Amino acid sequence: YLYHINAIQWNEMYGTVPGLANFHDRFGLNSSVFVLSAAFSYNFLYNQYIFTISSLCYLVLFIWLLKQIVFKKGIIGFFSILFIYFFTAQYANDISSPGTDLLPNIIVGYVLLSLLFDGEILTKKTHLFIILSLFCITLKLSSFPIILIGLWAVYLRNKKFFKALFQFSGFGCLLILPWMTKNVMLTGYIIYPMAQVDLFNFDWEVSKNSVLDIKKWITSWARIPMKNHDEVLAMPFKEWFSVWWNATLNINKIFYLLAAAAPLSCASYYLLNKKVEKSILITILVAYLGLTFWFVTAPDVRFSFTFVLFLALLPLFFFKSLVDKVAEKINPLLIISTVYCLFLMGKNGYRLFCEDYISAGNFSEYAYLPSDPSEVKDKRNIKFNSVVLLTKDGRKIELLDQCVANSVLNKFAKIVS
């Protein structure tokens, strides 16, 4: 309710307005998920938003992994069933939500698993991985390290670093430049919220203090939510980490520890075998960079769970021959596990489908949203005072959100003064 649905509705009904982030700073968070959701909301058919993009992509990922389970079997099948089970457990309630977390994690998961399962995949499907790695950045900045996969794919085709870098930059101009252009239009910055990259000085540019403020909120909220960001960011590492760790689910604590130990597993495997495929090394490097980038910037598990889960399960792959022998004997168990996964998904999906969203109390748990959120505001005791502005030509503009109204009035006050 804070900004996801608002951003989707704005993309659907209006154009890109210069300086829109001055009215609400979250409008500057220009995820491509919002544009896709606006294009496929089907609001004109159902008079209600149905968020299909993430659910469709999740379905494709699930079918792809199901294919690995049934036909590849062995370590690949075993790895796939574990990945899809824990991935689904993490994102079950996001599958048909307007959030921006699931889609980039789906793409990151597909890219990393493809490289792990088939070391030659980058030469077979070069353009696919270039497009996915670049597009993923426009969905969520926390997936940034995945860009190295696209660069490596270009390099494998050219075998010359600078030529590969030049070609990759060309792809970047085609895929990322429009997104960056919209960032500039909305906020005045190429990448928002990064006040350091300020190449322009447009009159609609969001103030640096506002940009720094939202950056602080993103980082602090991921560490310790519900607290003032200055207080959280002033904490020494040991203090905030202790609070963050204690608030983490036990299963995620296990994943974090296994993920952090992944490089040790890789080193042990190398010492024993004296050889590791380049594709696996690149995959581990990208995944570990993703894990580090996530922990330093905003360590909320939902942002980059794929990097964590991939690294946590990776040691299994280093014992491929052993797991293959075991997996051959327990192949029926893999089938049973797959059916169980489908059962859990179906059970959860049916519960969401049957829920009365108009009268339900806690809407944040559910994927489909009521067409009129005013009842939710009443139940949550969220009261907004409307403000009416009178323009010079006599037109009235009513602002229903008090926060937006205050922002607008402050802007007008500065202009008048």
Side-chain angles (χ1 to χ4, degrees):
Y1 287 105
L2 178 61
Y3 75 98
H4 290 83
I5 300 168
N6 304 322
I8 291 169
Q9 290 178 332
W10 187 282
N11 277 293
E12 185 182 49
M13 295 186 289
Y14 307 108
T16 301
V17 177
L20 181 62
N22 286 294
F23 291 101
H24 195 309
D25 53 12
R26 299 302 197 280
F27 278 153
L29 300 177
N30 178 34
S31 173
S32 294
V33 173
F34 297 145
V35 180
L36 287 168
S37 295
F40 298 97
S41 69
Y42 300 106
N43 187 41
F44 67 97
L45 282 178
Y46 304 109
N47 196 31
Q48 175 172 308
Y49 287 84
I50 298 176
F51 306 107
T52 59
I53 294 299
S54 293
S55 55
L56 176 61
C57 293
Y58 172 83
L59 178 63
V60 173
L61 177 71
F62 184 85
I63 292 172
W64 180 72
L65 285 172
L66 194 62
K67 182 181 176 183
Q68 312 305 313
I69 295 165
V70 174
F71 295 107
K72 295 290 182 67
K73 303 178 182 178
I75 179 60
I76 292 179
F78 192 64
F79 200 100
S80 298
I81 189 63
L82 289 176
F83 185 89
I84 196 61
Y85 176 79
F86 289 115
F87 187 87
T88 304
Q90 174 63 39
Y91 290 112
N93 288 335
D94 293 273
I95 289 174
S96 55
S97 82
T100 60
D101 302 316
L102 178 56
L103 187 54
N105 276 280
I106 287 173
I107 294 176
V108 169
Y110 172 74
V111 171
L112 294 179
L113 291 175
S114 295
L115 273 173
L116 186 66
F117 295 164
D118 183 359
E120 304 297 322
I121 192 71
L122 288 184
T123 55
K124 298 173 185 175
K125 301 179 179 180
T126 304
H127 290 95
L128 173 64
F129 286 90
I130 294 171
I131 292 169
L132 287 178
S133 63
L134 288 168
F135 177 63
C136 203
I137 298 172
T138 71
L139 300 171
K140 207 166 193 67
L141 288 174
S142 58
S143 65
F144 179 78
I146 203 71
I147 198 173
L148 293 176
I149 299 293
L151 183 58
W152 180 251
V154 179
Y155 175 76
L156 288 177
R157 172 161 288 195
N158 294 280
K159 299 297 183 182
K160 293 181 179 179
F161 178 76
F162 288 105
K163 185 177 180 181
L165 189 61
F166 179 77
Q167 287 191 359
F168 191 68
S169 300
F171 282 109
C173 288
L174 289 173
L175 294 168
I176 297 184
L177 192 59
W179 173 74
M180 286 185 170
T181 302
K182 188 175 181 182
N183 282 342
V184 174
M185 291 286 288
L186 294 173
T187 67
Y189 299 86
I190 291 179
I191 301 176
Y192 180 87
M194 289 180 63
Q196 299 87 344
V197 187
D198 185 9
L199 304 181
F200 307 102
N201 190 27
F202 295 114
D203 56 358
W204 67 75
E205 184 175 280
V206 178
S207 69
K208 285 193 176 180
N209 287 336
S210 296
V211 179
L212 293 172
D213 189 68
I214 189 173
K215 180 68 173 65
K216 288 178 180 178
W217 272 119
I218 292 171
T219 303
S220 68
W221 195 273
R223 293 178 181 177
I224 306 174
M226 309 291 181
K227 269 198 171 187
N228 181 273
H229 57 62
D230 290 326
E231 181 183 350
V232 174
L233 296 179
M235 291 180 179
F237 172 79
K238 185 178 180 181
E239 186 178 348
W240 74 256
F241 180 80
S242 176
V243 177
W244 175 81
W245 182 259
N246 290 331
T248 301
L249 296 175
N250 288 332
I251 183 65
N252 288 338
K253 287 180 181 178
I254 296 172
F255 286 144
Y256 293 156
L257 293 173
L258 290 173
L264 295 176
S265 303
C266 181
S268 302
Y269 180 81
Y270 176 76
L271 291 174
L272 292 172
N273 295 272
K274 303 298 182 182
K275 184 181 179 182
V276 179
E277 293 180 17
K278 282 186 178 180
S279 61
I280 293 181
L281 285 176
I282 292 293
T283 308
I284 295 172
L285 174 63
V286 170
Y288 204 69
L289 285 174
L291 180 71
T292 306
F293 186 73
W294 162 78
F295 184 75
V296 171
T297 55
D300 189 327
V301 65
R302 62 192 170 90
F303 291 160
S304 295
F305 181 68
T306 298
F307 287 124
V308 176
L309 180 61
F310 178 83
L311 287 170
L313 297 178
L314 188 62
L316 286 173
F317 211 82
F318 295 139
F319 301 97
K320 183 177 179 180
S321 56
L322 177 62
V323 177
D324 276 343
K325 292 178 181 178
V326 176
E328 286 176 3
K329 297 178 181 179
I330 62 169
N331 196 52
L333 182 61
L334 291 179
I335 297 173
I336 294 171
S337 301
T338 306
V339 173
Y340 179 65
C341 256
L342 286 168
F343 168 74
L344 287 180
M345 290 168 55
K347 181 182 177 182
N348 189 57
Y350 184 73
R351 177 180 66 82
L352 293 173
F353 180 77
C354 294
E355 184 65 37
D356 182 2
Y357 299 101
I358 302 301
S359 61
N362 189 0
F363 284 92
S364 62
E365 292 182 6
Y366 302 113
Y368 292 101
L369 303 165
S371 55
D372 179 13
S374 59
E375 185 175 342
V376 186
K377 293 178 182 178
D378 291 337
K379 288 193 174 185
R380 290 185 174 181
N381 295 317
I382 301 173
K383 302 297 182 183
F384 295 136
N385 298 321
S386 62
V387 174
V388 178
L389 301 177
L390 187 64
T391 63
K392 289 183 178 180
D393 56 0
R395 292 184 298 111
K396 290 183 178 180
I397 302 175
E398 185 176 10
L399 301 169
L400 299 178
D401 189 320
Q402 184 65 50
C403 297
V404 174
N406 289 338
S407 176
V408 175
L409 292 173
N410 288 335
K411 290 282 179 183
F412 284 159
K414 289 178 182 178
I415 293 171
V416 171
S417 63

